[in-house]
Amino acid sequence: MSRRSWTLLTSAFLVMVFGLVGAFVPVPYVALGPGPTHDTLGTYEGREVVRIEGTETFPTGGHLNMTTVSVTDRLSVFNALGFWMSGNHALAPRELYFPPDKTEEQVERTNTRAFRSSQTAAETAALRQLDYPTKLVAGKVLSGSPADGVIAPGDELISARGESLSDPDSLVRALSDTEPGQTVTVEFRHEDEPPRRTEFELADHPDKPERGFLGVQPTLRPDVDFDIDIRLPDVGGPSAGLMFSLAVVDKLTPGELNGGKFVAGTGEISPTGQVGRIGGIGFKMIRAHQAGARYFLTPAGNCATAESQAPEGLRLVKVSTLRDAVEALEAIAAGETPPGC
């Protein structure tokens, strides 16, 4: 065989090997991009995204869209290059989204729990905004703590050391001047049982050794006689909380909160209505703009990044709390200009 033939054969072989490597060998990256957006005032697969039963609700209009980031896994070399060159995606180390010490099922369960927690926080924040009653409950009881095995998650926390408890900070204040080994009395209620008063010997605080430690992480929950059910399959994480809260507020109050406009947004929300920053806001704004949104509710902590990435024609609205968001929507409905980033 001639040298030219050998050269051609070798080149063809190398091209074939490169093609196989590029097509089938995985890379340790995921592709991030614009994910689905859903109207929290609308329906998904024939069912209301936010359903309220047992009390009066009111018609809504326009859109209050939650936004997401897509995460594409199991990329080949060619896949990764394609996403990188698309202009609408970015590559990130896979271990940031799928930690090596966790299975994919564990990651999915973590995201699902975060989503469910955000739903509860969204409901609570919305009802507090509308002056409905709430109650303080044990959100989590730490294993091995003085409260472990006595107070259960979901138990209502009524008082500590004789001080009434109304919000998470009230429990912190009640225990702020305690010491390890000190005995305190906590009143709580399990489900529909009568209240119980129990004495606890406090342990060492893991972060502040000089302070007593009960081992209860308190959170607020609605205390109403009607049901709110938020359901959106295949969506995880906490960043839709703000938009779910606004949908609840809109459905429980007369009139169209957004004035019939197309509003989208994002933001993690606490039970007390604080709006926290989120990741991937650039991708979320792209999808919102593609869907037709004119306004985008932006957590204050994301404003600097959002300003530099916002698509032309999408007006950013800065929000730090649920109250900020409600007032901004009321301004939009009235034809006024809401606070921007």
Side-chain angles (χ1 to χ4, degrees), residues 59 152 171 251 260 274 313:
L171 180 60
K251 291 192 172 193
Q274 301 298 312

Side-chain angles (χ1 to χ4, degrees), residues 32-89:
L32 308 179
T37 178
H38 301 285
D39 183 13
T40 60
L41 298 176
T43 60
Y44 181 77
E45 296 182 346
R47 184 191 180 284
E48 287 181 292
V49 174
V50 177
R51 177 187 292 177
I52 303 175
E53 296 180 329
T55 190
E56 183 180 15
T57 58
F58 300 91
T60 60
H63 290 253
L64 289 175
N65 273 46
M66 53 82 69
T67 50
T68 63
V69 175
S70 68
V71 180
T72 305
D73 190 21
R74 296 186 176 87
L75 301 179
S76 67
V77 174
F78 288 164
N79 292 149
L81 285 173
F83 279 118
W84 180 71
M85 296 174 64
S86 71
N88 285 337
H89 291 77

Side-chain angles (χ1 to χ4, degrees), residues 163-191:
E163 298 182 22
S164 297
L165 302 177
S166 57
D167 56 58
D169 288 341
S170 63
L171 180 60
V172 174
R173 290 193 299 269
L175 302 179
S176 61
D177 60 348
T178 59
E179 300 176 351
Q182 182 175 341
T183 299
V184 300
T185 300
V186 178
E187 184 179 13
F188 62 96
R189 177 187 288 110
H190 180 69
E191 297 180 347

